[in-house]
Amino acid sequence: MLFTILFLPLVVAAPTRESYILDIENGTLRNVLFHSTPLEELDLSGLGIRHLEKNALDNVSTLKWLSLANNSLESLPEFMFSNLSNLEYLSLAENNLKNLEYLFVRLEKLRVLNISCNPVLHLRRGHLFGLTKSTTILIEGNNLWSISTGTFTNSFLKDDEELKNLEKMKAEFTMIQTTESTESDIELASERNALNADMPTSKNKILKGQKLKLCMPNNIVLSIEPLENNSVANGCLEIPVNKEKRSVSLQGLGIKGFHEKWYQLQYLPIISLDLSNNEITEITKELLNDLPEDLIYVNLRGNRIRCIWSQVIENRHLKILNLSNNFLEKIEDGALAKTNLTSLTFFENQLESLSFVSSLPSTLQVLVLAKNRFSSIPGGIFVNLPNLIYLNLVNNQIERLQNGVFNGLDSLQILIITKNRLVEIERDAFNGLKQLTTLNFYQNSLTELQKGTFSGLENLKDLNLSSNKLQKITADMFADLPQNLGYLHIDFNEINSLEKGSFVNVPRFTLSLTGNKISTIPSGTFDLPTLRDLYLNNNTLTMIDGDSYEGLPQLKHLLLIENQINEIQKGSCKNLASLSILNISRNPIQKLQNGALYGLSLARGNSIYIYENQLKEIQGALFEDI
């Protein structure tokens, strides 16, 4: 074969055919020259090209077929191919391209664009502008994460409708869904809130660098007092004071007990004393009864206390008491009656009876009883707790909630009974809980809910029934929920049937049905005029039925991750014009054809998420009525 070579300084002219010459310098393609007949095909694959100069293809504007596959391209100049208006096939496969913006303008005759096997994560707005409805885009082997609904639109222009949408997005109030907190997070948060609410003011001040002297022969605390002259006697310890938090920590010092009048810090405005992770086996009169009025929080977490006796504790100033992670088996009736506690925590003990609750102080606002061994809740035990706001019964063995079981809790706002063994809730179990805003039954064994179970909960905003054993949603199951309910979670049940009218007016903002066995959604299932987020991940849906989603005029986010959707037909999105995010990731979809996503808004910021799919091909009129 005869080669024509162009000699330039530091330039290798690497002809691939007799009719043209490649001007390549240090991996950069600078120019393509041809001799006589204009080129229609040009194969530049596998040449190790790393860069293209912007005008490198100006002399081959007659091309119909161009391959730059299997090179080392990481980026291309904007409008690189705009002069190739006759191009019908373009391959950029097997490169390192991440950004495709403004590359395909004026390629109106392009039939195939191959961008397979590139690290393209997002096809953003305007990235494929210039391609037409006749273009097929091959994307196999990419780690494509999302496609903007405006990927084929001209990102330089904004029409009147889009400008209105942008203004609406700026003005729109976005509801933020709170994530489920861990049990320990809930416990700590409730304590912090109580501490902030009860923090006393004091004229006395803690000096910067204030130190204390702790004397505890044989691990029995004899005294704790201000340290003078920076001198610590033998057998005593130097203890710092947290000036900002007004707290003292005696955590993990092996303390076993206390002498009378051991606390000698009456003139320091200490509000919090940490005695956690010691060897204390009993709460004695010496421990709590002589503490000053400023000291409102005592932390006894992680000790070895087994019982709290009556006629021992008498402290009207103490507000917060933490007895988590002890070995408590018994609390005698009246043991805490001579206190004005507002927050009481028994997280992770060995309590089996709730009878002591009936004699707790009426001042109580936060009660944490999580991770014990309660199997039932006796009737009437809450009648003396009219100020209780937060009740946590997580991780017990409760099987049944009988009618009126929470009578007396007139102020209760948050009730958490997750990780129990609930199989039945009687119809009037929540009677009287008019202030309740949050009700959480995550991870129980409920198989059905009686009609009217939630009637009377007029302020309920968040209901969580996830990880139970519900099998179907009937039209009357949630008919009595209050109109201001914002969030309803029914994830990871065994739901395989949704009736028409299952969800009417509520929830207002978020409905989550992830992890069920839903294969079809009847038309009319949803009549939720204000719903924003609908989660249907991890179900068995095989298609997106456009009729299933009527009745959702304000829906912003529809998540269909990890279903069995293998095809999306035209009409699937006819009722989804309000969406800003459609997530169809982890489905066996291989092709998105013309018209498949018609109905989605092309407004700026709207995206289709498609990560971890088997998608190989999309077509240029994906979002058009064709």
Side-chain angles (χ1 to χ4, degrees):
M1 181 181 292
L2 179 64
F3 294 95
T4 303
I5 301 176
L6 175 65
F7 292 99
L8 293 172
L10 300 176
V11 174
V12 177
T16 57
R17 295 184 180 178
E18 297 177 354
S19 55
Y20 61 85
I21 300 171
L22 302 181
D23 181 356
I24 300 176
E25 179 180 0
N26 296 329
T28 298
L29 179 64
R30 300 173 58 185
N31 202 356
V32 180
L33 304 174
F34 66 92
H35 289 304
S36 54
T37 306
L39 297 176
E40 291 191 354
E41 295 185 5
L42 182 59
D43 186 356
L44 301 178
S45 60
L47 297 179
I49 299 171
R50 297 194 301 272
H51 306 285
L52 269 69
E53 288 193 355
K54 186 172 183 178
N55 301 317
L57 301 176
D58 281 1
N59 293 324
V60 287
S61 60
T62 55
L63 284 178
K64 293 184 178 180
W65 191 98
L66 173 61
S67 176
L68 284 159
N70 192 24
N71 280 289
S72 300
L73 296 168
E74 295 184 358
S75 64
L76 290 168
E78 293 180 357
F79 308 104
M80 181 71 223
F81 307 109
S82 295
N83 68 314
L84 306 181
S85 57
N86 293 309
L87 202 61
E88 297 178 3
Y89 176 91
L90 173 60
S91 178
L92 299 170
E94 297 183 80
N95 279 281
N96 295 310
L97 295 170
K98 296 179 181 179
N99 187 356
L100 304 175
E101 193 168 14
Y102 308 137
L103 293 181
F104 311 115
V105 178
R106 296 187 63 194
L107 298 187
E108 297 174 0
K109 294 183 179 180
L110 196 68
R111 296 294 176 265
V112 177
L113 170 63
N114 191 343
I115 54 173
S116 301
C117 301
N118 278 279
V120 177
L121 292 178
H122 306 283
L123 291 177
R124 302 190 188 279
R125 186 174 184 82
H127 277 198
L128 300 182
F129 172 63
L131 303 182
T132 70
K133 61 186 179 182
S134 301
T135 308
T136 295
I137 302 101
L138 305 179
I139 58 174
E140 186 175 5
N142 285 325
N143 293 317
L144 199 58
W145 189 270
S146 70
I147 303 175
S148 166
T149 58
T151 193
F152 295 100
T153 62
N154 186 346
S155 59
F156 293 106
L157 301 177
K158 298 184 180 72
D159 57 26
D160 291 340
E161 182 180 355
E162 184 176 342
L163 289 171
K164 290 179 182 178
N165 285 332
L166 286 172
E167 290 302 317
K168 183 178 179 182
M169 288 171 64
K170 291 177 183 177
E172 194 174 58
F173 175 74
T174 303
M175 298 299 297
I176 301 175
Q177 180 181 352
T178 56
T179 56
E180 183 177 307
S181 299
T182 63
E183 294 160 9
S184 58
D185 288 340
I186 291 172
E187 175 196 347
L188 293 173
S190 63
E191 280 189 3
R192 283 195 299 269
N193 292 338
L195 187 60
N196 291 333
D198 291 319
M199 184 177 292
T201 58
S202 175
K203 294 181 180 179
N204 297 327
K205 293 184 178 180
I206 299 172
L207 299 176
K208 184 178 181 180
Q210 176 76 60
K211 299 291 180 62
L212 309 176
K213 180 176 68 173
L214 173 68
C215 298
M216 43 179 285
N218 300 317
N219 296 99
I220 307 297
V221 177
L222 177 64
S223 65
I224 184 169
E225 56 188 309
L227 179 63
E228 297 179 357
N229 302 321
N230 293 321
S231 176
V232 180
N234 290 337
C236 296
L237 300 173
E238 182 180 298
I239 303 294
V241 177
N242 188 317
K243 182 176 183 292
E244 288 72 26
K245 294 183 178 181
R246 296 167 61 184
S247 64
V248 172
S249 176
L250 303 180
Q251 178 182 4
L253 297 178
I255 296 171
K256 294 182 178 179
F258 301 83
H259 284 278
E260 188 176 358
K261 299 186 183 301
W262 67 276
Y263 191 88
Q264 299 295 318
L265 304 175
Q266 285 81 358
Y267 297 105
L268 291 179
I270 303 298
I271 64 170
S272 173
L273 176 62
D274 188 353
L275 291 166
S276 62
N277 300 321
N278 280 289
E279 304 293 328
I280 301 167
T281 58
E282 184 178 5
I283 297 178
T284 61
K285 292 181 179 181
E286 292 81 8
L287 172 53
L288 294 178
N289 291 5
D290 291 330
L291 298 178
E293 63 181 38
D294 279 347
L295 188 52
I296 61 170
Y297 174 29
V298 174
N299 185 358
L300 287 165
R301 181 187 182 111
N303 280 278
R304 299 177 178 275
I305 302 167
R306 292 187 176 275
C307 181
I308 303 178
W309 308 105
S310 63
Q311 307 301 319
V312 173
I313 300 173
E314 186 172 351
N315 184 329
R316 297 292 183 179
H317 307 300
L318 190 64
K319 301 297 182 184
I320 305 169
L321 182 60
N322 188 339
L323 286 155
S324 298
N325 301 92
N326 276 273
F327 297 94
L328 280 168
E329 297 174 344
K330 182 178 181 181
I331 300 173
E332 289 192 347
D333 290 350
L336 296 164
K338 294 182 179 181
T339 70
N340 290 324
L341 289 170
T342 59
S343 178
L344 181 58
T345 302
F346 293 115
F347 178 85
E348 199 162 0
N349 279 279
Q350 300 171 16
L351 295 167
E352 296 182 0
S353 172
L354 281 164
S355 61
F356 70 91
V357 172
S358 61
S359 63
L360 292 177
S362 61
T363 52
L364 206 60
Q365 297 176 14
V366 174
L367 179 57
V368 179
L369 298 165
K371 262 194 168 181
N372 279 277
R373 300 175 181 177
F374 307 123
S375 59
S376 64
I377 304 176
I381 64 167
F382 298 113
V383 293
N384 294 321
L385 297 176
N387 296 302
L388 197 68
I389 295 173
Y390 176 92
L391 176 58
N392 187 332
L393 287 159
V394 171
N395 214 332
N396 281 284
Q397 301 166 23
I398 300 167
E399 297 181 355
R400 179 172 169 267
L401 298 179
Q402 67 272 25
N403 288 334
V405 66
F406 299 109
N407 284 351
L409 297 179
D410 300 336
S411 301
L412 193 67
Q413 296 178 19
I414 300 174
L415 175 57
I416 305 176
I417 316 183
T418 64
K419 298 183 180 179
N420 276 269
R421 300 176 182 176
L422 280 174
V423 294
E424 181 184 7
I425 301 175
E426 292 191 357
R427 186 183 183 280
D428 295 322
F430 307 119
N431 188 42
L433 301 184
K434 293 184 178 181
Q435 302 303 316
L436 197 69
T437 61
T438 301
L439 182 55
N440 195 333
F441 290 113
Y442 169 78
Q443 202 168 325
N444 278 280
S445 299
L446 295 169
T447 58
E448 61 179 354
L449 296 170
Q450 297 183 39
K451 180 181 179 181
T453 297
F454 305 109
S455 62
L457 300 179
E458 55 194 51
N459 283 300
L460 192 64
K461 293 179 173 60
D462 191 343
L463 174 59
N464 193 330
L465 291 161
S466 297
S467 296
N468 278 274
K469 297 181 179 180
L470 300 173
Q471 295 185 358
K472 64 180 180 178
I473 306 296
T474 61
D476 58 5
M477 182 176 287
F478 299 116
D480 294 313
L481 284 172
Q483 296 297 300
N484 59 349
L485 185 87
Y487 307 95
L488 177 57
H489 297 266
I490 325 175
D491 308 298
F492 298 102
N493 278 265
E494 299 172 6
I495 299 168
N496 55 34
S497 173
L498 299 174
E499 287 186 4
K500 181 179 180 179
S502 291
F503 304 100
V504 178
N505 293 325
V506 291
R508 294 177 61 199
F509 305 121
T510 297
L511 172 60
S512 190
L513 291 159
T514 289
N516 284 284
K517 300 177 181 179
I518 301 168
S519 58
T520 58
I521 302 174
S523 175
T525 296
F526 307 113
D527 183 6
L528 300 171
T530 61
L531 193 76
R532 294 172 178 270
D533 307 312
L534 177 57
Y535 296 85
L536 286 161
N537 305 324
N538 300 96
N539 278 281
T540 56
L541 295 166
T542 58
M543 61 182 296
I544 301 177
D545 185 345
D547 293 328
S548 297
Y549 303 100
E550 63 179 344
L552 300 169
Q554 299 297 322
L555 193 65
K556 299 298 181 186
H557 306 132
L558 175 58
L559 282 79
L560 298 167
I561 303 169
E562 207 162 340
N563 276 271
Q564 298 172 19
I565 301 169
N566 53 34
E567 184 180 7
I568 300 178
Q569 299 179 349
K570 182 181 177 181
S572 296
C573 301
K574 64 182 181 181
N575 287 307
L576 298 175
S578 60
L579 278 190
S580 57
I581 291 178
L582 172 62
N583 196 329
I584 52 174
S585 302
R586 297 177 187 160
N587 278 281
I589 303 169
Q590 296 192 17
K591 181 179 180 180
L592 290 175
Q593 59 192 6
N594 285 340
L597 299 179
Y598 172 68
L600 297 180
S601 169
L602 304 186
R604 186 175 295 272
N606 295 351
S607 293
I608 317 301
Y609 286 88
I610 55 171
Y611 54 84
E612 295 182 32
N613 269 326
Q614 302 171 21
L615 199 57
K616 298 178 180 179
E617 177 183 330
I618 61 176
Q619 294 185 334
L622 174 63
F623 300 104
E624 297 182 27
D625 183 11
I626 187 172

